[in-house]
Amino acid sequence: MNEKAINAVATSIRSLSMDAIQKANSGHPGTPLGAAEVAAVLYGEILKHNPADSKWADRDRFVLSAGHGSMLLYSILHLSGYKVTMDDIKSFRQVGSICCGHPEYGVTDGVECTAGPLGQGVSMAVGMALAESMLAARFNTASHKIVDHYTYSLVGEGCLEEGVSSEACSLAGTLKLGKLIVFYDQNKITIDGSSDITFDEDVAKRYEAYGWQVLKGDMYKPAEILKLTEKAKNCKDKPSLIILKSVIGKSAPNEGSADTHGAALGVDNVKKAKENLGIPADQDFYVVPEAYEYFESKKAAFAKAEEDWNKEFEAWAKENPELKKQWDAWHNDQATAEVADVEFAATDKMATRAAGGKMLNLMAQRYGNLVGGSADLAGPNKTALKDCDGIYSAENRIGRTIEFGIREFAMSALCSGMRLHGGLRPFCATFLVFADYLRPQLRLASLMKLPLIYIFTHDSIYVGEDGPTHQPVETLSSLRSIPGVQVLRPGDAQETSAAWEMAMASKDHPVCIVLTRQDIQGYEKSDSDWKKNIKKGAYIARNCEGTPDITVLATGSEVSTSIQAADMVSGKKIRVVSVIDYNMFDNMTQEEQDALIGGAKRVVAAEAGISSDWKQFVTNKKTDLFCIDRFGESGPAAKVAEHLKFTAKDLAELLNK
């Protein structure tokens, strides 16, 4: 290793980071100044990568979990040859810049995931490592290893304090993900001061208890970082945490203090820092010439690594044509087998979670890359996969069922990481009320435009005896409010089948399929073309002769309830519209909405949740909302519904008014 060149790279990272943050008068200089060496060693000596092709399938992955230190990443990406120019660096944190405040997936070349909300980056890295192990077991042969890479992440105190990282790292240890290596930038500083104020635990012992190998070293000894990484790579059955003692804001006049964490250093302090580094104090965005020269000398080796893999891949493909077909299908979300559709009769009576379980297994048989599981709720969620190679574990890497344990937040993060890695279409499941545990990660998945599938069951007060803690009333509305998230609440078994088809068709956004615990009476659809029209977000489930007096907009279990209520009302013509996707309905043109409402003088909304979404559509906000604007009660589902006056009979009385 050329330590002089590595030091030049580290110095250049500090120089670019200070100036970019100062020019923007916004950012976090502490991490780039304090952890420059690990980035230099990683991109120069450790990573298997080719900056000329950031999408090379068998590249090592690096996730900057401490995403506030984004200039560390942008600087090393620029220096090592990714598509990050000096002009990009100079426009840090400006509108339209690819050097965003925090790293954003799909915006900046070489950025593996959107990171910034602390703890989520390293948790997604766990998912990437899991994906690598699963694909390696599936596609590698005795003659050819086409999947053989590592996942690295850099964390700080903030990431390790956030609970999601604990969830994910605990699972990583249980699954023995030996090709996951995490560097801990241990500077013991957070925004409010010393981390000892709130975080004086023994991190090493905690991670050893998780089943990790823990190594310790000095951030400012590049040769030691390289040696520790090799030791980590030699440990095949444990992920590794490499604790590197560091100084936040190193080289700044106020290094080691919280003042360097999250604000520009100031013009005078930048000059003093440059003097401390031995670089021109009056030259902005200075790069030590040896830094560029070093990476220029590495270009051929970087390219050759990918070229060698391409030859290996071609030889593998020639010897294994069927595996190659599977590889292509897995990486393009294409069907891998012809499987007949599950047929539900219109009048089938069953819980939509039961119908959902049948559809999940159909899709798993049809799409080999559909993998996932639930947060310890496979039975209640009906998400157990049959004939899909069993449960994924350290002993069974080809298993397509992932037991996430009671870790909803990490479950979602791992799914994001698996999808970001490539080759897999992940799903996860829990009760609807626990969507709040994973909501921040669902938001991030939507920001990254990942087509993850979330299965949420036990969707209303009809959970029954578990009571108000488990009876979601506001959750549907909260999920719908996340930009880009598609929320589907099917009304019966047939609609559940359509919901799954809609979810699998998604290419650029997460989909939440919301399902019932209780049995639902299926219904004959008045719209003969309902299978097509439901994909627009809503269709006429029950029609009437002529212009309706009342149109009921209903979702999920309330479609059946509305049809039953309509049958109890005499002397009024009632149309029931099934709104499987509220946001699609809301975004329809006025003409499309009017066609569904059919000129009714009165519009009523029926949903077992809060009424806020529906007030814009109903005729009278006081009398035409059949919703639940309060928490539920403990008791048998039917009794709870009676107590809350939320039965077909109660809706019929409302319609008769």
Side-chain angles (χ1 to χ4, degrees), residues 102 171 228 267 278 369 473 615 657:
H102 293 82
L171 185 55
L228 290 170
V267 174
N369 72 338
V473 290
K615 290 180 179 179
K657 290 181 180 178

Side-chain angles (χ1 to χ4, degrees), residues 54-65 103-108 110-116 120-132 135 149-152 330-331 333 369 371 410-427 441-454 507-508 510:
S54 64
K55 299 303 180 184
W56 171 24
D58 200 41
R59 70 191 181 279
D60 286 343
R61 272 67 168 173
F62 171 66
V63 173
L64 178 64
S65 188
E104 292 189 31
Y105 173 74
V107 174
T108 314
V111 169
E112 299 286 2
C113 70
T114 297
Q120 293 199 47
V122 68
S123 302
M124 287 184 279
V126 175
M128 294 177 191
L130 190 158
E132 191 276 344
L135 293 169
H149 54 266
Y150 288 81
T151 301
Y152 299 90
W330 281 45
H331 285 80
D333 293 331
N369 72 338
V371 302
M411 172 177 69
S412 180
L414 263 70
C415 285
S416 286
M418 286 187 279
R419 181 63 187 185
L420 289 162
H421 178 280
L424 301 175
R425 184 72 188 271
F427 74 90
Q441 223 298 307
L442 173 57
R443 181 180 186 273
L444 211 56
S446 187
L447 190 60
M448 293 185 283
K449 299 182 179 180
L450 302 181
L452 306 183
I453 298 174
Y454 293 81
K507 302 298 182 186
D508 62 359

Side-chain angles (χ1 to χ4, degrees), residues 225-242:
I225 294 173
L226 188 58
K227 184 178 179 180
L228 290 170
T229 304
E230 287 303 314
K231 187 172 182 180
K233 291 171 76 172
N234 288 330
C235 182
K236 306 300 183 184
D237 62 349
K238 292 182 180 181
S240 294
L241 180 71
I242 301 176

Side-chain angles (χ1 to χ4, degrees), residues 467-490:
T469 59
H470 285 53
Q471 295 169 5
V473 290
E474 79 289 2
T475 315
L476 274 169
S477 182
S478 72
L479 293 177
R480 289 170 180 153
S481 71
I482 305 174
V485 173
Q486 184 172 24
V487 181
L488 303 176
R489 190 171 184 238

Side-chain angles (χ1 to χ4, degrees), residues 21 27-36 68-69 185 187 220 247-250 257 259-263 265:
I21 293 167
H28 297 72
T31 296
L33 295 178
H68 55 272
D185 173 25
N187 57 50
Y220 309 114
V247 178
I248 194 170
K250 186 170 176 60
S257 74
D259 294 338
T260 68
H261 175 86
L265 297 177

Side-chain angles (χ1 to χ4, degrees), residues 12 95 105 133 185 190 209 224 290 416 493 507 532 569 590 623:
S12 300
V95 174
Y105 173 74
S133 69
D185 173 25
T190 58
E224 185 174 60
E290 287 85 353
S416 286
K507 302 298 182 186
K532 175 183 176 182
V569 177
Q590 190 63 56
T623 60

